[in-house]
Amino acid sequence: MKYRTIGADPKTRRRVSVLALGAMLFGSRTDEKTSFAVLDRYVEAGGNFIDTSDNYAFWTDDGQGGQSEELLGRWRRSRGVGDEIVIATKLGARPLAPGTSYVDNAEGLSAKAIREAAEGSRERLGVDRLDLLYAHIEDHTVPLRETVEGFAELVAEGTVGLLGVSNHAVWRVERARALAAAAGLPGYEVLQYQHSHLRPRTDIPEEIFPDGSLGGTTAELLSYLRAEPGLTLVAYSPLLKGAYARQDVPLPRDFDHPGTPARLAVLREVARETGASVNQVVLAWQIGGDLPVIPLAGASSVAQLEENLAAVELELTAEQRARLDAVH
């Protein structure tokens, strides 16, 4: 396994594996036995960066979520896992009542909601401190300053380590970070957005995220990442839910544009040259690139995880990277 450091403050920064494991469906669609097997193999391979959320997976049973955090809590206790494993979670998008969703009834990002949600996550995970806590989606009903101060209070109390943000417009991320810096408070250091080798259209975000938030990476976000060396991008859905490898899984509709075939063609060329799968090329491209990107890939079986783990050791040549980067 390879590692990189996230965060700047020596008190909160963590050394994490370059491949993060997504636990979204653990405890719901992925049963406990399989989930435990995937987690055990990931840790055995040197992985130490696991991602979840307080609302995973509310849509599987029309509930409020929490199944993933609860399973991770049971796994931690059964295996004697301590703070050597970094578990990141998210808040803000948990439905307030069963049968509703984050679109129309989310817990939000008020100071009260942040405190209550973080306490719930700590209890389900069985930890005293959340290693990395994200603001999951935007909350337009609460002033940014209140959200910034709400997260900072938890860091000051020692119940949260690093702060992150997901699915927010870049200007809101920068505004929140500027507010935190001006007040001498901890700010967002980790960004989590959907990011893959294929590039999405940017003219139809409302169809993809009906609450108005932006899910996929844009040129603006990548430019911001280059301009702020202290930030790290955790890239969720890097494998597009299996669409690269499975004929029965169509590409999401925001990838339906003229640039997609050319990028797919180069991916397949490099896969043939290296003897790797297209999925492995995508992950290796992210891991070894010039931007601080950590792919976040889920796995519903140990076999899927093994394929992903092999990408960590896949070394792309400079010429192959140049070709992968050049297509538009």
Side-chain angles (χ1 to χ4, degrees):
M1 184 57 68
K2 300 173 184 177
Y3 302 88
R4 72 183 317 141
T5 298
I6 56 174
D9 189 333
K11 296 179 181 178
T12 56
R13 68 189 180 196
R14 298 301 302 268
R15 184 170 176 265
V16 298
S17 46
V18 297
L19 178 67
L21 176 64
M24 176 188 284
L25 297 178
F26 289 179
S28 55
R29 290 181 181 165
T30 305
D31 63 58
E32 185 154 318
K33 180 179 179 181
T34 303
S35 300
F36 276 33
V38 171
L39 288 161
D40 290 345
R41 176 61 188 127
Y42 176 69
V43 172
E44 180 184 46
N48 75 334
F49 194 16
I50 301 169
D51 183 271
T52 185
S53 172
D54 69 348
N55 75 337
Y56 292 163
F58 76 86
W59 57 91
T60 61
D61 62 2
D62 209 20
Q64 291 174 274
Q67 305 99 309
S68 175
E69 289 183 330
E70 289 168 354
L71 181 136
L72 289 172
R74 294 192 296 273
W75 173 73
R76 289 185 71 260
R77 289 189 294 273
S78 70
R79 303 305 195 254
V81 170
D83 62 5
E84 72 277 9
I85 302 299
V86 177
I87 297 181
T89 194
K90 299 176 278 290
L91 58 78
R94 181 178 169 92
L96 288 173
T100 61
S101 79
Y102 69 87
V103 176
D104 56 6
N105 196 32
E107 62 194 352
L109 297 175
S110 68
K112 180 176 181 291
I114 289 169
R115 179 169 294 277
E116 291 178 352
E119 289 175 356
S121 289
R122 291 202 313 275
E123 181 178 351
R124 286 186 289 271
L125 290 167
V127 298
D128 295 325
R129 184 172 88 157
L130 301 171
D131 300 310
L132 168 57
L133 181 62
Y134 293 96
H136 201 164
I137 60 172
E138 296 180 354
D139 183 351
H140 295 240
T141 70
V142 173
L144 274 174
R145 183 178 298 276
E146 179 179 345
T147 298
V148 167
E149 292 175 350
F151 277 114
E153 284 181 5
L154 300 185
V155 176
E157 293 168 5
T159 55
V160 171
L162 289 165
L163 298 176
V165 61
S166 178
N167 301 327
H168 282 52
V170 175
W171 74 264
R172 291 181 68 86
V173 175
E174 173 57 21
R175 180 74 58 81
R177 282 168 45 82
L179 286 169
L185 299 174
Y188 301 136
E189 296 187 80
V190 184
L191 312 179
Q192 187 175 132
Y193 291 77
Q194 193 280 319
H195 179 53
S196 188
H197 185 257
L198 294 185
R199 296 175 177 173
R201 291 173 57 179
T202 59
D203 57 335
I204 52 169
E206 294 82 5
E207 296 185 27
I208 309 305
F209 287 86
D211 65 337
S213 63
L214 303 178
T217 50
T218 62
E220 182 185 20
L221 178 64
L222 297 178
S223 176
Y224 184 58
L225 191 65
R226 287 188 176 90
E228 297 290 332
L231 295 177
T232 301
L233 173 64
V234 173
Y236 72 77
S237 295
L239 304 179
L240 301 180
K241 300 180 180 180
Y244 283 113
R246 294 175 51 183
Q247 294 295 320
D248 61 324
V249 178
L251 286 169
R253 54 186 168 178
D254 50 332
F255 294 94
D256 182 13
H257 61 83
T260 292
R263 293 185 78 81
L264 280 174
V266 174
L267 276 174
R268 289 165 180 158
E269 286 175 7
V270 174
R272 287 193 296 270
E273 292 165 6
T274 59
S277 68
V278 169
N279 283 348
Q280 290 169 336
V281 172
V282 172
L283 295 176
W285 173 75
Q286 290 189 339
I287 290 169
D290 61 345
L291 289 177
V293 176
I294 297 175
L296 167 60
S300 59
S301 68
V302 173
Q304 284 185 352
L305 175 65
E306 294 289 3
E307 180 183 3
N308 295 345
L309 287 170
V312 174
E313 304 303 324
L314 177 60
E315 296 288 344
L316 302 176
T317 67
E319 187 275 335
Q320 288 168 336
R321 286 193 170 278
R323 274 189 284 146
L324 289 165
D325 291 338
V327 289
H328 298 286

